[in-house]
Amino acid sequence: MARITASVYTSHVPAIGAAIDLGKTQEPYWQPLFKGYEFSKQWMKDNKPDVIFLVYNDHATAFSLDMIPTFAIGTAAEFTPADEGFGPRPVPKVIGHPDLASHIAHSVIQQDFDLTIVNKMAVDHGLTVPLSLMCGEPAAWPCPVIPFAVNVVQYPVPSGQRCFNLGQAIRKAVESYDEDLNVHIWGTGGMSHQLQGARAGLINREWDNAWLDQMITNPAICAQTPHIDYVREAGSEGVELVMWLIARGAMQDVADSARSVSVRHRFYHVPASNTAVGHLILENS
Ligand code: DHB
Ligand code: FE
């Protein structure tokens, strides 16, 4: 059967993608950030999954105010990098896994989560920047990726608790797939940032780090964080962090308290553009 063996969490700042694409990663501003992902790139090579289930948010790129799915699963055979105004990023196209994605859609909908099924979708920096951070600049991404888009842009956005519960349903779905596949689940976006208004540029190191501590040891408490706390403490775009709870909910210690997870890597850096960059790699031990 298929199994989730690890989860990865990372911010997705678009300027990080631009720094990679324009060859600026060794500039003084960027060098400390990319240093924090050196371990991660090696870990990806040493622990190459068969499939990545990548939870991210679309930034009014594939979707718009015309149509706002709360949870959307990409079931296509491939997904092209989106043009977000400066041409598409020069990164490989994303190869999907239609069979596993369809199975997960079926199982998760049967578990009472209403997913939108997406058979054609361009993917924006929310998905491609985490891939670049974890994989560098390969000619092709190392494995198929199932994009899973969450609405964190237009209220009402899903609660952290619902995201955490959804992660548990995704784990069950993966474990009911017949083929032996090693699946990683990624939760992306965050950490503290606010891109507009009087508090633009807000970064809250203390809150971010306390939230990272709690995500490792007691994610059920993180799941109870109300939206207003993210907005007040981590800025209006800090609410992207609910996506991390989907990945965390899919880890084995949530399903069975006798089992545990181990922290393979933890990194925090401020600022990247207007955002605090947080990163974790957790393995089912
Ligand atoms: C920035 C961060 C984001 O998460 C995003 O989607 C767009 C911009 C930023 O810090 O510049
Ligand atoms: Fe964002």
Side-chain angles (χ1 to χ4, degrees):
M1 74 190 198
R3 279 191 179 283
I4 293 175
T5 57
S7 52
V8 171
Y9 308 81
T10 180
S11 307
H12 66 213
V13 184
I16 293 174
I20 294 169
D21 301 342
L22 300 171
K24 295 185 174 182
T25 59
Q26 292 314 307
E27 289 188 358
Y29 180 86
W30 290 110
Q31 199 269 341
L33 172 95
F34 288 103
K35 198 161 183 300
Y37 285 83
E38 271 167 24
F39 173 90
S40 315
K41 285 191 276 188
Q42 190 57 48
W43 178 86
M44 272 300 286
K45 288 190 179 129
D46 297 342
N47 298 273
K48 195 176 94 56
D50 298 313
V51 184
I52 297 167
F53 189 91
L54 205 161
V55 180
Y56 77 108
N57 72 290
D58 179 79
H59 299 75
T61 306
F63 307 122
S64 70
L65 291 180
D66 288 348
M67 200 190 295
I68 308 170
T70 302
F71 298 118
I73 186 163
T75 44
E78 58 181 62
F79 305 88
T80 47
D83 183 349
E84 298 181 63
F86 303 93
R89 289 193 60 213
V91 295
K93 70 182 175 194
V94 173
I95 303 301
H97 197 306
D99 200 63
L100 178 60
S102 304
H103 170 84
I104 292 173
H106 183 90
S107 168
V108 166
I109 291 170
Q110 289 290 317
Q111 293 178 70
D112 300 334
F113 291 88
D114 305 315
L115 307 185
T116 299
I117 292 162
V118 183
N119 289 314
K120 186 173 184 203
M121 178 166 68
V123 286
D124 74 9
H125 69 271
L127 184 131
T128 63
V129 166
L131 280 173
S132 295
L133 277 168
M134 294 299 295
C135 309
E137 296 177 272
W141 299 122
C143 67
V145 175
I146 298 175
F148 190 90
V150 180
N151 168 41
V152 289
V153 168
Q154 175 64 48
Y155 284 85
V157 311
S159 68
Q161 187 64 56
R162 184 144 179 85
C163 290
F164 193 57
N165 296 349
L166 172 59
Q168 296 172 56
I170 291 167
R171 177 170 180 274
K172 284 190 192 147
V174 168
E175 291 189 349
S176 63
Y177 189 68
D178 267 351
E179 198 183 329
D180 282 335
L181 290 177
N182 173 12
V183 179
H184 289 179
I185 183 164
W186 295 12
T188 63
M191 297 194 76
S192 58
H193 61 308
Q194 171 146 348
L195 302 179
Q196 75 276 299
R199 299 201 310 162
L202 176 143
I203 281 176
N204 189 344
R205 260 177 206 271
E206 232 183 16
W207 188 91
D208 286 343
N209 278 289
W211 201 84
L212 286 174
D213 291 343
Q214 192 88 281
M215 269 291 276
I216 295 166
T217 57
N218 201 347
I221 299 289
C222 285
Q224 291 168 16
T225 306
H227 288 148
I228 190 66
D229 284 19
Y230 290 100
V231 174
R232 189 188 294 118
E233 300 294 336
S236 49
E237 279 66 51
V239 79
E240 287 179 346
L241 284 171
V242 296
M243 295 184 290
W244 291 36
L245 284 159
I246 297 179
R248 189 64 184 88
M251 295 299 280
Q252 66 178 13
D253 60 329
V254 176
D256 178 356
S257 59
R259 296 163 85 185
S260 61
V261 296
S262 55
V263 181
R264 290 308 307 279
H265 188 48
R266 176 173 175 163
F267 176 64
Y268 184 79
H269 175 79
V270 288
S273 181
N274 287 303
T275 300
V277 170
H279 175 38
L280 288 175
I281 299 176
L282 303 183
E283 281 179 4
N284 281 332
S285 42

